[in-house]
mmCIF file of all heavy atoms in Angstrom:
data_model
loop_
_atom_site.group_PDB
_atom_site.id
_atom_site.type_symbol
_atom_site.label_atom_id
_atom_site.label_comp_id
_atom_site.label_asym_id
_atom_site.label_seq_id
_atom_site.Cartn_x
_atom_site.Cartn_y
_atom_site.Cartn_z
ATOM 1 N N GLU K 711 -28.428 53.206 -27.775
ATOM 2 C CA GLU K 711 -28.102 52.051 -26.933
ATOM 3 C C GLU K 711 -27.043 51.238 -27.651
ATOM 4 O O GLU K 711 -27.193 50.896 -28.831
ATOM 5 C CB GLU K 711 -29.338 51.179 -26.681
ATOM 6 C CG GLU K 711 -28.962 49.929 -25.839
ATOM 7 C CD GLU K 711 -30.138 49.007 -25.541
ATOM 8 O OE1 GLU K 711 -31.286 49.338 -25.909
ATOM 9 O OE2 GLU K 711 -29.884 47.955 -24.934
ATOM 10 N N ALA K 712 -25.965 50.980 -26.952
ATOM 11 C CA ALA K 712 -24.893 50.163 -27.535
ATOM 12 C C ALA K 712 -25.289 48.695 -27.414
ATOM 13 O O ALA K 712 -25.639 48.232 -26.329
ATOM 14 C CB ALA K 712 -23.581 50.417 -26.791
ATOM 15 N N LEU K 713 -25.232 47.974 -28.534
ATOM 16 C CA LEU K 713 -25.569 46.541 -28.529
ATOM 17 C C LEU K 713 -24.390 45.769 -29.125
ATOM 18 O O LEU K 713 -23.904 46.100 -30.214
ATOM 19 C CB LEU K 713 -26.843 46.307 -29.339
ATOM 20 C CG LEU K 713 -28.110 46.871 -28.676
ATOM 21 C CD1 LEU K 713 -29.234 47.052 -29.691
ATOM 22 C CD2 LEU K 713 -28.573 45.985 -27.525
ATOM 23 N N SER K 762 -26.521 54.541 -23.755
ATOM 24 C CA SER K 762 -26.972 53.452 -22.879
ATOM 25 C C SER K 762 -26.138 52.208 -23.161
ATOM 26 O O SER K 762 -25.928 51.856 -24.318
ATOM 27 C CB SER K 762 -28.442 53.126 -23.147
ATOM 28 O OG SER K 762 -29.238 54.230 -22.750
ATOM 29 N N VAL K 763 -25.659 51.580 -22.095
ATOM 30 C CA VAL K 763 -24.855 50.353 -22.248
ATOM 31 C C VAL K 763 -25.454 49.284 -21.351
ATOM 32 O O VAL K 763 -25.813 49.557 -20.200
ATOM 33 C CB VAL K 763 -23.375 50.617 -21.874
ATOM 34 C CG1 VAL K 763 -22.564 49.328 -21.946
ATOM 35 C CG2 VAL K 763 -22.777 51.673 -22.797
ATOM 36 N N ASN K 764 -25.579 48.077 -21.911
ATOM 37 C CA ASN K 764 -26.132 46.961 -21.142
ATOM 38 C C ASN K 764 -25.100 46.369 -20.194
ATOM 39 O O ASN K 764 -23.918 46.246 -20.541
ATOM 40 C CB ASN K 764 -26.625 45.862 -22.079
ATOM 41 C CG ASN K 764 -27.804 46.330 -22.904
ATOM 42 O OD1 ASN K 764 -28.912 46.464 -22.401
ATOM 43 N ND2 ASN K 764 -27.545 46.639 -24.183
ATOM 44 N N VAL K 765 -25.560 46.014 -19.000
ATOM 45 C CA VAL K 765 -24.659 45.416 -18.005
ATOM 46 C C VAL K 765 -25.269 44.097 -17.534
ATOM 47 O O VAL K 765 -26.439 44.048 -17.144
ATOM 48 C CB VAL K 765 -24.464 46.364 -16.807
ATOM 49 C CG1 VAL K 765 -23.683 45.659 -15.704
ATOM 50 C CG2 VAL K 765 -23.741 47.626 -17.248
ATOM 51 N N GLU K 796 -27.949 49.858 -18.362
ATOM 52 C CA GLU K 796 -29.206 49.111 -18.370
ATOM 53 C C GLU K 796 -29.009 47.781 -17.666
ATOM 54 O O GLU K 796 -28.119 47.001 -18.023
ATOM 55 C CB GLU K 796 -29.678 48.878 -19.819
ATOM 56 C CG GLU K 796 -29.969 50.179 -20.543
ATOM 57 C CD GLU K 796 -30.653 49.949 -21.893
ATOM 58 O OE1 GLU K 796 -30.949 48.775 -22.229
ATOM 59 O OE2 GLU K 796 -30.883 50.945 -22.605
ATOM 60 N N ILE K 797 -29.821 47.564 -16.656
ATOM 61 C CA ILE K 797 -29.710 46.281 -15.938
ATOM 62 C C ILE K 797 -31.090 45.639 -15.858
ATOM 63 O O ILE K 797 -32.104 46.322 -15.937
ATOM 64 C CB ILE K 797 -29.112 46.449 -14.517
ATOM 65 C CG1 ILE K 797 -29.971 47.403 -13.686
ATOM 66 C CG2 ILE K 797 -27.698 46.974 -14.595
ATOM 67 C CD1 ILE K 797 -29.460 47.575 -12.272
ATOM 68 N N THR K 798 -31.096 44.315 -15.689
ATOM 69 C CA THR K 798 -32.374 43.600 -15.610
ATOM 70 C C THR K 798 -32.669 43.250 -14.161
ATOM 71 O O THR K 798 -31.798 43.356 -13.289
ATOM 72 C CB THR K 798 -32.350 42.304 -16.439
ATOM 73 O OG1 THR K 798 -31.243 41.541 -15.999
ATOM 74 C CG2 THR K 798 -32.215 42.590 -17.922
ATOM 75 N N ASP K 826 -34.038 47.366 -17.417
ATOM 76 C CA ASP K 826 -34.279 46.818 -18.748
ATOM 77 C C ASP K 826 -35.371 45.755 -18.675
ATOM 78 O O ASP K 826 -35.590 45.148 -17.622
ATOM 79 C CB ASP K 826 -32.971 46.189 -19.259
ATOM 80 C CG ASP K 826 -32.870 46.261 -20.776
ATOM 81 O OD1 ASP K 826 -33.886 46.578 -21.422
ATOM 82 O OD2 ASP K 826 -31.760 45.994 -21.294
ATOM 83 N N ASP K 827 -36.027 45.520 -19.813
ATOM 84 C CA ASP K 827 -37.017 44.440 -19.918
ATOM 85 C C ASP K 827 -38.087 44.536 -18.840
ATOM 86 O O ASP K 827 -38.551 43.525 -18.307
ATOM 87 C CB ASP K 827 -36.334 43.058 -19.845
ATOM 88 C CG ASP K 827 -35.304 42.883 -20.939
ATOM 89 O OD1 ASP K 827 -35.381 43.626 -21.943
ATOM 90 O OD2 ASP K 827 -34.417 42.016 -20.786
ATOM 91 N N LYS K 847 -37.441 50.533 -19.057
ATOM 92 C CA LYS K 847 -37.588 50.225 -20.479
ATOM 93 C C LYS K 847 -38.591 49.091 -20.597
ATOM 94 O O LYS K 847 -38.332 47.970 -20.117
ATOM 95 C CB LYS K 847 -36.246 49.832 -21.088
ATOM 96 C CG LYS K 847 -35.253 50.991 -21.083
ATOM 97 C CD LYS K 847 -33.966 50.648 -21.812
ATOM 98 C CE LYS K 847 -34.184 50.671 -23.309
ATOM 99 N NZ LYS K 847 -32.902 50.474 -24.038
ATOM 100 N N GLU K 882 -39.508 49.822 -25.884
ATOM 101 C CA GLU K 882 -38.566 49.081 -26.741
ATOM 102 C C GLU K 882 -39.329 48.375 -27.845
ATOM 103 O O GLU K 882 -40.524 48.090 -27.698
ATOM 104 C CB GLU K 882 -37.902 47.967 -25.931
ATOM 105 C CG GLU K 882 -36.780 48.376 -25.031
ATOM 106 C CD GLU K 882 -36.072 47.130 -24.495
ATOM 107 O OE1 GLU K 882 -36.774 46.133 -24.224
ATOM 108 O OE2 GLU K 882 -34.854 47.175 -24.364
ATOM 109 N N GLN K 902 -37.876 53.359 -28.933
ATOM 110 C CA GLN K 902 -36.724 52.646 -29.490
ATOM 111 C C GLN K 902 -37.285 51.484 -30.283
ATOM 112 O O GLN K 902 -38.220 50.816 -29.832
ATOM 113 C CB GLN K 902 -35.815 52.124 -28.354
ATOM 114 C CG GLN K 902 -34.635 51.299 -28.843
ATOM 115 C CD GLN K 902 -33.821 50.721 -27.682
ATOM 116 O OE1 GLN K 902 -34.252 50.825 -26.512
ATOM 117 N NE2 GLN K 902 -32.696 50.131 -27.989
HETATM 118 CA CA1 CA A 1089 -30.999 46.999 -23.318
#
Side-chain angles (χ1 to χ4, degrees):
E711 178 180 356
L713 291 160
S762 293
V763 176
N764 294 286
V765 172
E796 297 189 3
I797 58 178
T798 55
D826 210 348
D827 302 340
K847 295 186 76 174
E882 281 190 323
Q902 177 184 8

